[in-house]
Amino acid sequence: MQRTLFDADHELFRASVRAFVERTIEPGLPTYMAERLIDRAAWREAGEAGFLGVGIPEELGGSGVGDYRFNAVWLEELAKASLGVATSFSLHTDIVAPYLVELTTPQQRTRWLPGFCAGDIVTAIGMTEPSGGSDLAALRTTAVRDGDDWIINGSKTFITNGSSAELVIVAARTNPDAKAARGITLFAVEEGMPGFTRGRKLDKVGQHEADTAELFFTDLRVGADAVLGEVDRGFVAMMERLPQERISCAITNLAHADAILAETITYARERRAFGAPIGSFQHNKFLFAELVTQLDVAQAFIDACVLAHSAGELSAVDAAKAKWWSSQVQNDVLDACVQLHGGYGYMTEYRAARAWMDGRVTRIWAGSNEIMKEIIGRDLGF
């Protein structure tokens, strides 16, 4: 079915992103995977091309385009090549960017956003803790006032871009007496601050090209100019921005699965068994019919969500639907692609195997699928 989400300007932008992917990302993937890190040259090239500053004011180094559909194009083309690369860049452009644009003072924006757009400052966000998982209200990292400063102690884990980021947004509890989600504040922590250290790069099952690390804060002193937004209102700020994170995940989930399915269809046309292409066997033919239908139907809903988000109308409930359903469809498709490849599907030299490993986490992060269903269920009055 013809998608109607994008216009000619979006497709011109897509051609530019695709050229960047073909020129830089795809040739660099073996190195990124080996080093567990996207090299800074790729970040700076993306910045020079204007890909990192979509939605950020021109006077601060961005393009000033407030159309989220350009973000969607950027993420789709990255995810087709590598879910791990899409993860690292989307964390920067889709998840961190709104905090730095919407919650900062003019001085903070001038300080960070030009480097952010140029690829000189890579960013991360420190929400998840070893004991917390999806329960953001159970944060144990603390920030205690000391005059005009704050002293931060605690740790974060599973932090994308954690080993390379120059700027990390850290959620810390500032009011221990407040109930549940109240009393959390966001802080901007910069590389080199005494008391801020990084642990090892975590050894993940997949997405090796995306660096993921533990972060530690030991008597880390930051000034009042490190606070993002209002004190004790950090949890609200996070909840307000989670719909964009979740629709961002949904976009990459489907683009990633679609690319691998297309490769698997080609494989099934060429691979022969019992004297015929394996795709011609009725079971496989029916399976492909189911998979392409699942993707097309899911894409229609995700496109509607992108359009709603571009208009500022995407609800948290619809974002939760998009996140859990897209990741479920993605994992169903990838598992079937591995099966259709047979023994070769279990070999990491084949993209289907790597994609299968890369995709499994999408049902866990950005709020597990169980949390997404809880959000939807509560909206139904349960």
Side-chain angles (χ1 to χ4, degrees):
M1 181 175 290
Q2 182 69 35
R3 296 172 71 187
T4 59
L5 179 63
F6 304 113
D7 61 26
D9 287 340
H10 299 115
E11 295 307 331
L12 285 173
F13 182 69
R14 187 186 299 277
S16 296
V17 177
R18 186 178 294 127
F20 164 71
V21 169
E22 292 173 353
R23 180 178 63 250
T24 301
I25 299 301
E26 290 176 346
L29 276 176
T31 300
Y32 305 159
M33 293 175 69
E35 297 181 356
R36 302 295 199 267
L37 183 73
I38 300 169
D39 68 37
R40 189 51 61 92
W43 283 94
R44 292 193 173 113
E45 184 178 344
E48 186 175 347
F51 301 143
L52 305 182
V54 175
I56 292 174
E58 290 185 66
E59 63 270 21
L60 295 169
S63 65
V65 177
D67 181 351
Y68 185 76
R69 290 177 293 175
F70 286 98
N71 296 60
V73 168
W74 163 241
L75 298 179
E76 284 183 353
E77 293 304 315
L78 291 175
K80 289 175 187 177
S82 161
L83 188 60
V85 170
T87 295
S88 286
F89 279 113
S90 68
L91 189 286
H92 185 79
T93 60
D94 266 42
I95 299 175
V96 174
Y99 290 89
L100 296 184
V101 172
E102 298 162 8
L103 297 180
T104 45
T105 65
Q107 292 78 14
Q108 289 172 325
R109 285 193 287 274
T110 301
R111 180 176 177 181
W112 296 315
L113 282 175
F116 176 101
C117 295
D120 294 326
I121 296 176
V122 171
T123 58
I125 188 163
M127 292 185 186
T128 306
E129 298 187 349
S131 61
S134 295
D135 186 4
L136 296 180
L139 292 177
R140 295 187 178 181
T141 297
T142 61
V144 178
R145 282 189 188 274
D146 183 32
D148 293 331
D149 295 341
W150 295 86
I151 309 298
I152 301 175
N153 283 281
S155 64
K156 304 291 179 178
T157 194
F158 310 140
I159 306 304
T160 300
N161 298 341
S163 71
S164 59
E166 285 86 7
L167 180 67
V168 182
I169 297 175
V170 177
R173 185 166 293 283
T174 46
N175 186 349
D177 298 323
K179 293 182 179 179
R182 300 182 184 277
I184 291 172
T185 301
L186 301 177
F187 296 88
V189 173
E190 297 179 82
E191 182 180 41
M193 286 182 166
F196 171 36
T197 57
R198 311 171 201 257
R200 60 192 175 91
K201 292 180 187 175
L202 298 176
D203 187 14
K204 308 188 299 292
V205 169
Q207 298 197 34
H208 299 310
E209 54 269 53
D211 78 273
T212 308
E214 301 165 309
L215 306 179
F216 301 98
F217 314 101
T218 305
D219 294 331
L220 168 62
R221 180 180 293 273
V222 298
D225 60 349
V227 174
L228 294 182
E230 298 179 47
V231 172
D232 292 342
R233 294 276 295 173
F235 185 83
V236 174
M238 290 188 287
M239 293 302 102
E240 289 172 344
R241 286 156 187 81
L242 278 176
Q244 177 156 308
E245 178 177 354
R246 288 166 180 162
I247 192 59
S248 172
C249 290
I251 291 164
T252 58
N253 291 347
L254 293 191
H256 179 240
D258 186 69
I260 304 305
L261 180 59
E263 292 181 11
T264 303
I265 290 171
T266 299
Y267 175 84
R269 289 175 180 146
E270 298 171 351
R271 175 72 171 170
R272 299 178 68 86
F274 306 105
I278 63 170
S280 68
F281 302 152
Q282 188 180 64
H283 171 79
N284 292 344
K285 190 186 303 182
F286 282 12
L287 178 56
F288 279 123
E290 293 170 3
L291 298 177
V292 297
T293 302
Q294 286 183 52
L295 277 174
D296 282 351
V297 173
Q299 189 69 69
F301 181 72
I302 300 308
D303 284 357
C305 288
V306 170
L307 200 59
H309 187 54
S310 296
E313 298 170 355
L314 180 65
S315 71
V317 173
D318 283 342
K321 293 174 184 176
K323 188 273 173 184
W324 95 259
W325 185 246
S326 66
S327 62
Q328 185 63 54
V329 169
Q330 175 194 32
N331 276 264
D332 289 346
V333 168
L334 296 177
D335 190 73
C337 288
V338 169
Q339 190 73 17
L340 287 158
H341 275 80
Y344 293 107
Y346 206 61
M347 302 295 111
T348 56
E349 65 190 272
Y350 279 77
R351 275 242 294 172
R354 299 196 302 273
W356 180 59
M357 294 187 292
D358 292 344
R360 181 57 183 85
V361 72
T362 65
R363 288 156 59 189
I364 298 171
W365 65 15
S368 69
N369 281 6
E370 291 76 13
I371 295 294
M372 299 302 97
K373 294 174 187 179
E374 177 71 16
I375 292 170
I376 298 162
R378 286 179 185 174
D379 187 62
L380 298 174
F382 297 111

